[in-house]
Amino acid sequence: MKENSYFLQVQNNLSRVLSLIDNDETSLSYGLGDRYFWAWGLTDFGNATFQGCAHGLSRLWVSGLWPYDSTEECFIRRIQSLFAGARFLTRKDGSLEEAFPNEGSYCVTALVAFDLLVTIDLLSEKITNLQKDKLIEVVRPFINFLIKSDETHAIISNHLATAVAALVRWDIVMEDPKASRKAELLLDRILNNQSKEGWFREYEGADPGYQTLCLHYLADTHLLRKDLNLLEPIANSIRFLKYFAHPDGSFGGHYGSRCTRFYYPSGILAMANELPEAASLAYYMESSIAGNSVIGLSSMDEPNLIPMFNSYAWGASLKKDSNDEANEINSELLPCKRKDAFRINFNEAGLLVDRGHHYYSIINYKKGGVTYHFAQDKLKILNCGVVFQSPSGSKASNHFYDDNQKILIRENRIQIRHGIAEMPKKLTLPLKFFILRILCFTIFRFSKTREFTKRLLVKYLITKPKFWRIWNEREILLGKNLEINDHQEPGSDYKKVELHDPFVPIHMASQGYWQ
């Protein structure tokens, strides 16, 4: 049997997760997990995401994977403290926060609700009914918020899937028809925005990294509610995702809508018994995790640590209970392992995958021609596009979605005429931070104002860039010796910037992890 690579990652990071929690029973912040808030005092609110680690810790405990000599009484007390911390962070409207006070984060409220409900389920035989009822009451305000509120600033499928999973679990425990109806409403929104190519929308397009997180929640929902008929949407999703496991073991990249390169293993592994392609992808990526070829748990910063920790903990428990020898894994179900040459064009996503003898190329022609090219199973070319600088110092790039682009794909040649858009990269300076805090404690208390502001920020930072009066014409010659030729006429006022490393054009916190 293969070594449990998920557990090894968890074991290497478990002390890091446990160190986040305030265990001082005399402290006002007992049970909180955001050290910047309770230990350092550098923020004026607590990021509630950390409370969700109760899920991953409980997975390890009930699976017999807990590596420390802890008593069950001590462990249950630790879990109860995390629930107490979640209750402490709950706002009057039942919401939780991640980024700023009075944020009313739909995603984080759903995430913590889901993780705490999974925890209650996992520990149901180890706690009394009275203890269980108290834990359920901690979650109740979150569910009420999810039912009456919504996320309106963009279609972010992994956020919606988180809420679906939380509402479904609540309905199973409490038989709540309001939760069930809202879950089905949100699920319809996800599926209506799923491309026929298999991908789930993340802002403007497909993002393989975040799609693996989306599957973490959809797989959980599917396993609990087969009547929701999620098997085929999940299967289509995995048929799409398998093309973005790379020959060198890495996954996803700058060609995605959110430029992410991480991989959440649990949802795909949970579907391995039902879908051969899920088994093939999970098996391949398990080796990548073991060899540190993909961004995994040890690379995560704290704001993204807990969701991935929970995913790895679920993966570790699934792996412990699996029998690899009983399953024949067909490695050629994975495109990067196929021996035959092929080319597939995901037209809606703008992604072209070209597999030849000894090479593998991925191009997003809707993002100006972002290119990954592997030869002999090694990354040889990673080209994110061109960058220009104005006299004022602002920078712009063709690494954006452009509705006015012109594309010609013919035989082994891709030609793209693409606009150059300003990259809205800003730092939060003291004055801006001061203004943000004033807004947090005034108009952001009202959900309509808060959501309107979020929509404006998404347009400015991600979906509606400011285009300059410059065009880039990119020609990509496909093949083993892939070539990229760019031509521009920027005018005398703009200077082309020579870069040595890949770049991300938009504000996106979940990128740039070391690989």
Side-chain angles (χ1 to χ4, degrees):
M1 180 180 290
K2 291 178 65 175
E3 196 169 27
N4 194 330
S5 56
Y6 311 109
F7 177 68
L8 291 178
Q9 286 263 338
V10 167
Q11 192 172 35
N12 289 339
N13 288 277
L14 184 54
S15 60
R16 177 183 170 201
V17 171
L18 292 171
S19 294
L20 297 172
I21 307 167
D22 183 0
N23 291 311
D24 183 353
E25 293 184 77
T26 69
S27 173
L28 292 173
S29 54
Y30 176 60
L32 293 186
D34 184 353
R35 290 190 65 93
Y36 283 106
F37 178 54
W38 70 261
W40 290 87
L42 298 178
T43 63
D44 54 351
F45 72 100
N47 182 345
T49 307
F50 298 102
Q51 307 310 123
C53 71
H55 172 182
L57 299 178
S58 299
R59 286 274 184 196
L60 299 176
W61 185 265
V62 301
S63 300
L65 293 172
W66 188 256
Y68 304 130
D69 186 19
S70 307
T71 65
E72 187 162 282
E73 180 184 2
C74 175
F75 181 83
I76 296 298
R77 190 164 61 247
R78 177 73 57 87
I79 297 300
Q80 289 172 322
S81 78
L82 288 164
F83 276 77
R87 182 175 60 244
F88 177 86
L89 294 174
T90 306
R91 294 289 181 178
K92 289 182 180 180
D93 63 357
S95 69
L96 297 169
E97 297 147 359
E98 177 185 31
F100 54 82
N102 293 313
E103 178 188 5
S105 173
Y106 200 78
C107 172
V108 169
T109 305
L111 181 149
V112 176
F114 170 78
D115 286 332
L116 297 188
L117 286 168
V118 174
T119 301
I120 293 170
D121 182 32
L122 291 169
L123 299 180
S124 60
E125 295 182 1
K126 302 182 182 300
I127 57 177
T128 67
N129 288 336
L130 179 60
Q131 289 174 321
K132 181 178 179 180
D133 289 343
K134 288 182 178 179
L135 299 184
I136 286 173
E137 288 308 308
V138 173
V139 182
R140 186 181 297 276
F142 310 150
I143 298 299
N144 290 336
F145 176 79
L146 295 178
I147 291 172
K148 69 185 180 183
S149 303
D150 206 346
E151 184 173 80
T152 61
H153 57 277
I155 297 296
I156 311 172
S157 293
N158 84 86
H159 290 188
L160 299 176
T162 310
V164 169
L167 290 163
V168 164
R169 278 190 170 269
W170 178 263
D171 179 46
I172 290 172
V173 173
M174 304 302 294
E175 297 183 358
D176 186 340
K178 290 182 179 179
S180 180
R181 286 195 296 269
K182 187 59 179 285
E184 292 182 16
L185 177 69
L186 295 176
L187 187 57
D188 285 343
R189 191 182 306 171
I190 295 170
L191 298 181
N192 287 337
N193 282 281
Q194 183 182 22
S195 166
K196 62 183 180 182
E197 296 169 349
W199 49 274
F200 295 109
R201 183 171 294 278
E202 293 286 329
Y203 290 105
E204 294 182 282
D207 188 84
Y210 265 115
Q211 190 159 323
T212 62
L213 177 58
C214 185
L215 286 176
H216 170 80
Y217 298 107
L218 292 182
D220 183 84
T221 300
H222 166 70
L223 294 173
L224 293 172
R225 289 282 307 275
K226 297 294 180 68
D227 60 296
L228 293 175
N229 299 316
L230 280 172
L231 182 59
E232 190 56 29
I234 289 173
N236 286 339
S237 172
I238 292 171
R239 291 184 196 114
F240 173 79
L241 280 181
K242 68 182 183 180
Y243 286 92
F244 306 103
H246 303 152
D248 65 351
S250 59
F251 185 88
H254 293 77
Y255 49 75
S257 63
R258 301 182 68 177
C259 302
T260 58
R261 298 176 293 133
F262 46 54
Y263 172 79
Y264 286 80
S266 49
I268 294 163
L269 187 60
M271 299 303 301
N273 289 333
E274 296 185 65
L275 300 170
E277 286 167 310
S280 178
L281 179 56
Y283 187 83
Y284 179 76
M285 293 307 301
E286 186 178 335
S287 297
S288 295
I289 291 167
N292 293 311
S293 300
V294 66
I295 291 173
L297 189 56
S298 295
S299 297
M300 286 296 102
D301 55 356
E302 288 188 357
N304 272 339
L305 176 64
I306 300 307
M308 185 164 279
F309 171 75
N310 293 338
S311 178
Y312 270 75
W314 188 13
S317 66
L318 289 169
K319 176 65 178 178
K320 180 176 181 290
D321 295 335
S322 70
N323 184 357
D324 287 335
E325 286 77 6
N327 300 313
E328 289 189 13
I329 307 296
N330 183 358
S331 63
E332 289 203 12
L333 287 176
L334 210 62
C336 71
K337 301 298 290 183
R338 283 170 53 178
K339 296 177 182 178
D340 59 311
F342 68 86
R343 183 175 298 166
I344 184 168
N345 183 6
F346 296 102
N347 184 62
E348 290 186 1
L351 288 162
L352 185 141
V353 180
D354 183 35
R355 170 65 167 174
H357 298 294
H358 309 299
Y359 75 88
Y360 196 82
S361 304
I362 302 172
I363 296 100
N364 191 326
Y365 50 82
K366 286 190 175 181
K367 291 185 74 178
V370 176
T371 300
Y372 274 60
H373 179 68
F374 300 85
Q376 304 294 338
D377 292 346
K378 293 183 179 180
L379 181 61
K380 297 296 184 181
I381 298 174
L382 200 178
N383 189 306
C384 290
V386 294
V387 174
F388 289 92
Q389 183 171 313
S390 71
S392 66
S394 298
K395 293 184 176 67
S397 170
N398 64 332
H399 188 175
F400 285 93
Y401 288 97
D402 179 9
D403 294 334
N404 296 315
Q405 67 178 182
K406 296 180 180 179
I407 304 166
L408 178 63
I409 302 175
R410 185 179 297 168
E411 295 181 351
N412 291 327
R413 186 189 306 268
I414 302 175
Q415 293 175 292
I416 308 164
R417 188 172 188 267
H418 200 93
I420 303 292
E422 190 168 318
M423 296 191 287
K425 296 186 176 184
K426 308 290 183 183
L427 293 175
T428 306
L429 300 176
L431 178 60
K432 292 180 181 178
F433 200 84
F434 177 68
I435 294 172
L436 175 62
R437 280 301 180 265
I438 291 176
L439 296 174
C440 287
F441 294 107
T442 54
I443 64 173
F444 281 4
R445 289 181 179 273
F446 304 100
S447 60
K448 289 184 179 180
T449 307
R450 188 172 61 223
E451 288 302 313
F452 175 74
T453 305
K454 288 181 183 179
R455 287 195 293 272
L456 289 180
L457 287 173
V458 166
K459 287 181 180 179
Y460 172 68
L461 295 172
I462 301 175
T463 62
K464 298 293 182 182
K466 177 183 177 182
F467 280 90
W468 291 1
R469 294 182 178 178
I470 312 174
W471 290 84
N472 182 72
E473 294 183 356
R474 167 162 287 200
E475 180 185 61
I476 302 172
L477 302 177
L478 301 172
K480 182 178 180 180
N481 299 312
L482 183 142
E483 293 182 22
I484 299 174
N485 299 305
D486 290 308
H487 176 72
Q488 319 87 22
E489 294 181 0
S492 58
D493 292 336
Y494 301 103
K495 176 184 177 183
K496 188 175 181 181
V497 179
E498 297 298 330
L499 300 175
H500 302 95
D501 295 302
F503 66 95
V504 174
I506 57 175
H507 173 79
M508 187 56 58
S510 303
Q511 54 82 22
Y513 295 115
W514 172 254
Q515 184 172 358

